[in-house]
């Protein structure tokens, strides 16, 4: 049964490294949460390693630049691993062909233009119209504010009928940008699958992003990891699949389900909700602190 804790310090001494989600845990898409920043700084001060693990569809350096712009201090983390890193490797390796239809915005251009060193000599990947494409790369809707997956039905049916695979660079379904809830690439991939299309995933809860993070940390087989996140189907499901402990942040995407006090979730409501979700995080708290 999941246990509600008051702060990270209550359990942090038992873990060597932390996989910490970004949106809904460390920041809200516009500004960082001061208590979360302080919690990560304190964890690092006691010798723990903080890996910021995000389903952002951009390569790690772009995520770091965004964190800097937002005012997240660099002493709150050790490394950043993004879904974009793992998905980019797969794309340049040819997972969905060399001519791709890109669904996303200009902020994700680095996914295509910043070629990883390991793929420097590979055949280029070109962005083309759907009619010419060998595959699809989804990093998010064209218009994050107004579009829903349903807007893509006709084009997805065409792509399905042609057998085009979709590489999903961000398995998240939704995130909160400040007070606005927006769809992510995961929602598009889920809809494409529902229509009979084939999809490939590389972020949480799928193994490649965890494998990459552990490789970069190099802690060895006996390292004790802890995952923190507000995505029950991504952060917590991924931790369960990896066999590591987790803290579910109830004050994020599902905040309305656990009572009026976002900082202190109602235990009975939480346990009922988790039973419905068929997930069992090791711990839970309202906010990362």
């Amino acid at each position: 049964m999941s246990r509600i804790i008051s702060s990270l310090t209550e359990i942090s001494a038992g873990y060597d490294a932390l996989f910490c989600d970004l949106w809904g845990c460390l920041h809200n898409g516009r500004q960082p949460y001061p208590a979360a920043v302080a919690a990560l700084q304190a964890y690092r001060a006691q010798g723990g390693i903080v890996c910021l693990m995000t389903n952002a569809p951009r390569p790690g350096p772009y995520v770091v630049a965004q964190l800097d712009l937002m005012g997240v201090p660099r002493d709150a983390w050790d490394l950043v691993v993004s879904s974009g890193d793992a998905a980019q490797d797969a794309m340049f390796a040819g997972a969905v062909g060399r001519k791709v239809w890109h669904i996303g915005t200009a902020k994700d251009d680095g996914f295509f233009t910043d070629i990883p060193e390991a793929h420097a000599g590979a055949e280029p990947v070109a962005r083309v119209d759907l009619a010419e494409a060998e595959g699809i790369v989804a990093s998010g809707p064209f218009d994050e504010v107004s579009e829903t997956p349903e807007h893509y039905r006709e084009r997805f049916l065409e792509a399905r009928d042609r057998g085009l695979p979709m590489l999903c660079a961000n398995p998240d379904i939704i995130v909160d940008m400040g007070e606005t809830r927006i769809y992510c690439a995961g929602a598009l991939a889920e809809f494409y699958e529902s229509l009979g299309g084939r999809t490939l995933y590389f972020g949480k809860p799928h193994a490649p992003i965890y494998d990459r993070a552990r490789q970069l940390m190099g802690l060895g087989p006996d390292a004790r990891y802890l995952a923190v996140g507000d995505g029950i189907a991504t952060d917590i499901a991924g931790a369960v699949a990896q066999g590591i402990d987790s803290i579910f942040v109830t004050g994020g995407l599902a905040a309305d389900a656990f009572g009026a006090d976002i900082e202190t979730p109602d235990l009975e409501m939480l346990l009922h909700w988790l039973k419905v979700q068929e997930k069992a995080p090791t711990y839970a708290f309202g906010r990362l602190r």
Side-chain angles (χ1 to χ4, degrees):
M1 184 175 72
S2 302
R3 167 186 157 200
I4 293 179
I5 59 175
S6 59
S7 68
L8 181 60
T9 57
E10 194 173 326
I11 60 166
S12 59
Y15 301 95
D16 302 302
L18 191 69
F19 296 143
C20 184
D21 184 40
L22 295 185
W23 289 60
C25 295
L26 182 57
H27 65 69
N28 67 356
R30 300 188 184 279
Q31 58 191 17
Y33 300 129
V37 170
L40 297 184
Q41 289 170 324
Y43 179 69
R44 293 188 70 242
Q46 72 179 31
I49 297 176
V50 174
C51 171
L52 300 182
M53 181 179 284
T54 173
N55 273 352
R58 293 166 293 286
Y62 288 84
V63 179
V64 172
Q66 182 186 31
L67 293 172
D68 288 343
L69 187 64
M70 211 179 289
V72 176
R74 294 217 174 182
D75 66 353
W77 53 272
D78 294 279
L79 70 158
V80 173
V81 176
S82 73
S83 176
D85 291 322
Q88 191 185 41
D89 277 342
M91 181 185 72
F92 281 108
V96 291
R98 295 293 168 185
K99 295 180 179 180
V100 302
W101 179 46
H102 174 220
I103 310 173
T105 63
K107 68 183 179 182
D108 299 326
D109 284 351
F111 188 86
F112 299 89
T113 59
D114 286 359
I115 301 174
E117 185 176 342
H119 300 285
E123 183 181 347
V125 173
R127 283 182 281 180
V128 299
D129 292 335
L130 176 58
E132 305 171 58
E134 300 169 341
I136 305 168
V137 173
S139 60
F142 290 122
D143 187 335
E144 296 177 329
V145 176
S146 64
E147 287 186 339
T148 70
E150 186 62 37
H151 284 88
Y152 294 82
R153 177 178 290 275
E154 290 186 10
R155 285 167 288 182
F156 281 2
L157 288 173
E158 175 189 341
R160 178 206 65 189
D161 291 344
R162 291 173 51 206
L164 302 188
M166 175 188 289
L167 188 154
C168 176
N170 175 2
D172 283 350
I173 304 299
I174 53 173
V175 294
D176 290 327
M177 173 71 81
E179 301 301 318
T180 303
R181 182 154 290 188
I182 60 176
Y183 285 101
C184 301
L188 301 179
E190 187 179 73
F191 185 55
Y192 190 50
E193 284 183 315
S194 75
L195 297 174
R198 181 168 68 91
T199 57
L200 304 172
Y201 295 95
F202 293 88
K204 298 175 287 185
H206 307 279
I209 194 169
Y210 296 92
D211 294 340
R212 183 182 181 90
R214 280 189 289 253
Q215 181 181 19
L216 290 172
M217 286 189 282
L219 291 179
D222 296 326
R224 302 160 300 171
Y225 297 97
L226 177 68
V228 179
D230 69 325
I232 197 70
T234 50
D235 304 304
I236 305 307
V240 171
Q242 292 296 310
I244 63 176
D245 290 350
S246 61
I247 308 177
F248 178 47
V249 178
T250 63
L253 289 171
D256 293 342
F258 310 116
D261 186 354
I262 290 180
E263 298 289 338
T264 308
D266 180 278
L267 179 58
E268 185 174 339
M269 296 175 74
L270 172 63
L271 294 179
H272 173 74
W273 188 85
L274 291 174
K275 184 177 180 179
V276 173
Q277 300 296 318
E278 298 183 337
K279 298 292 187 296
T282 318
Y283 310 102
F285 50 24
R287 298 281 196 189
L288 173 56
R289 56 179 182 255

